[in-house]
Amino acid sequence: MASVAVKKKEATRDLDHCDIPYYVSEFVEREVGNDYDSLRNLDNLIDKLSENKKQLEEQVLTVSSEVPKRIQNALKNAEDSKKSLSLLLEEETLLSDSINAHLLKAQPWMEDLDVLISQVEEIERHLAYLKWISRIEELSDSIQQYLMTNNVPEAASTLAFMAELDIKLQESSCSHLLEFVRSTVKFWHKILKDKLTSDFEEVLTQLRWPFVGPPQSQAFGLAAPANTPDVYSNLEMLFCQLLKLQTSDELLTKPKQLPEKYSLPPSPPIVLPIQIMLNPLQKRFKYHFTGNKQTNVLNKPEWYLTQVLMWIGNHAKFLDDKIQPILDKVGSSLNAGLEFSRALVMLILEKLAADIPCLLYDDTLFCHLVDEVLLFERELYSVHGYLSSFPSCMHILSEESCFQRWLTVEKKFALQKMDSMLSSEAAWISQYKDITDVDEMKVPDCAETFMTLLLVITDRYKNLPTASRKLQFLGLQKELVDDFRIRLTQVMKEETRASLGFRYCAILNAVNYIATVLADWADNVFFLQLQQAELEVRAESDTVSQLQLGQLASMESSVFDEMINLLERLKHDMLTRQVDHVFREVKDAAKLYKKERWLSLPSQAEQAVMSLSSTACPMLQTLRDRLLQLEQQLCHSLFKIFWQMLAEKVDLYIYQEIIMANHFNEGGAAQLQFDMSRNLFPLFSHYCKRPENYFKHIKEACIILNLNVGSALLLKDVLQSASENETLNPSQPSATAALNELGVYKLAQKDVEILLNLRANWPNTGK
């Protein structure tokens, strides 16, 4: 067994080979181990191993006899596959040779067949070409026959079909065929258009078209002649026939367009019958407002603008009552009135495009033109329902050179207006000073006029077609606000010495009013849309931080935030200056009150009636006078901020400079409480329900000073115990709870201890 153990120690496993010694030692260790008694089973173990060996030998013999058979079968299959592959290769060679021979033999046939196919295809193209020509000639003959029999409706329908064929052929490369079709369409279109136009104009003449007078004088609206139904029947018939020529008319007529620099929105051509109805008006317009006519003057744009509005108004009823039903009947989505207006507006646009370069640098004429155009646009949209998607005068004013000039002139006249409003004698007087309900903001005339100016500018540019142009005008408004703020600051600095004066208060009211109105405008839908547009522009230009972009996107800020912040800062500075001024006066008036002999005043029991300290009268009178004065001069919101700021300063001053600087006997403490609660606090009772809440230091100090002796001693002991035992016994009731029970919340524990020490009426305890 010792030798086995030694072998066990020496035997190590070789992982890369079949290590028999290792497995033997493992087997002996497992079966025998250190148990010497197990050696008795050694015979059984040897028999068992011999049996296993015999079984393994039989398995090896069986496998060694089967493997050669499988290998032989696999080799046989491989030989068979090789033979099959050879046969296939031979067949493939034969087939390839046969195909090549056939291709060589068929090559001449293929060449002859390609020639025949090309000839057939060419003949087919010729045949198709001839069919198209035949088709067009058939349609042309049909139109001729319809016209010979005076069947104009069918002729118009056939021409419309021919025009559709022309459109289908546009992708063809047969230029001569296209030219033939187009010339045929053009030929019959001219004949039909001339005939229908002549008949249509005759019907319009019978209706006294155009209506150059007011609606009530129009013939069709008065006693109509007996044949009026026939006239309207002819009108409808001819209108529908002219509508059928619309397709061919669009093919043959190139619409007149303004240069691309005006960026007009795409719009379809005016339908042919309405074009014909517009012809006499267009002739009148060009006669009066082009060339050397006396009516064509640069300084009177209102003449042609008003004339167009009159024409639109004069014809609106006829178009709605007579023309719109025809369009509805044929299934058209067009609005007769809007189509009529759109065509006349195009005359205005052409006129503006021609006139503006001539007056671009004459401020007076240019400004007058812009004013008249804006009035025209307002009436066009509000009265006649013109659509913002149509070309308008604002597209002409948005052209780069014209728009920059408009901005310059707008700024120039705005600055002039600001100069005049600030130099006016009534600049700082409210227009509504005698009307209490209206004059809550106490807005000086200059501030109200300025905000009206900004509002007018907004109304002037809000219909501009692009957001980028609107943002440029918004930038101008911001410049004007900043300029006005600077002017107010300059005037304010001149009035600094009289910070309680009327003009100084008026400036403060003006600043507050402008900031308030701008904050209201920030929530307006128009400015919210501009904010979104500004966000998109800034995001593209990367000129702002992600934080600012996030604030704009989440609507946390507005387009006027920067201006509002500057105005709020100016307002705060001015209010602070006023509060400081009044506070200095109060301190001067309180000098005698500070020197009051609080330690030797008689007790309340020794006085028949408590009265105000004579030394407090100047201080309280100063407070009262200034509060009344500023209540009258400042608007409510500003005055509220003012008196609260002043109350805070007075509270701290009396607490620190009078109460904490003196000692009080019982009479002094009672007198102080009477002066404060019955005289100081009521001065502010007009402005809030509980004025003592704005004088917490004074109120709570009076509570401590006027405690009866027993309560004061008890409180003193509680505070002292709380200080000593705070670390030793945290569960003991805190000093804060004791103070809160007395109504003291503002003062700290140390301040209360000091106040208790300022009391002089302590009993003699022998300590």
Side-chain angles (χ1 to χ4, degrees), residues 710-726:
S711 299
L713 284 170
L714 183 59
L715 177 61
K716 194 171 186 180
D717 289 341
V718 169
L719 296 179
Q720 187 174 358
S721 300
S723 299
E724 295 173 353
N725 299 328
E726 185 174 358

Side-chain angles (χ1 to χ4, degrees), residues 584-643:
R584 283 195 300 271
E585 291 184 350
V586 171
K587 285 199 299 183
D588 289 341
K591 286 180 180 178
L592 292 176
Y593 195 60
K594 283 179 65 177
K595 298 176 181 179
E596 185 69 63
R597 301 177 64 186
W598 302 102
L599 196 57
S600 59
L601 291 178
S603 66
Q604 188 172 358
E606 297 173 0
Q607 302 181 59
V609 179
M610 291 287 291
S611 61
L612 174 66
S613 300
S614 59
T615 52
C617 290
M619 175 184 71
L620 296 177
Q621 185 176 0
T622 302
L623 267 176
R624 182 202 63 185
D625 293 344
R626 291 311 186 192
L627 287 172
L628 289 174
Q629 176 188 352
L630 290 171
E631 184 182 15
Q632 293 174 355
Q633 294 181 349
L634 294 179
C635 70
H636 176 72
S637 60
L638 286 175
F639 179 69
K640 182 178 180 181
I641 299 172
F642 167 81
W643 73 255

Side-chain angles (χ1 to χ4, degrees), residues 337-355:
L338 289 177
E339 288 294 291
F340 187 80
S341 301
R342 182 161 68 91
L344 290 177
V345 167
M346 288 305 299
L347 293 175
I348 298 290
L349 302 190
E350 293 170 8
K351 175 67 174 169
L352 288 175
D355 283 359

Side-chain angles (χ1 to χ4, degrees), residues 234-247:
N234 290 335
L235 174 72
E236 180 179 348
M237 178 186 66
L238 293 169
F239 194 95
C240 292
Q241 292 171 8
L242 284 167
L243 279 177
K244 294 178 181 179
L245 302 185
Q246 184 65 29
T247 305

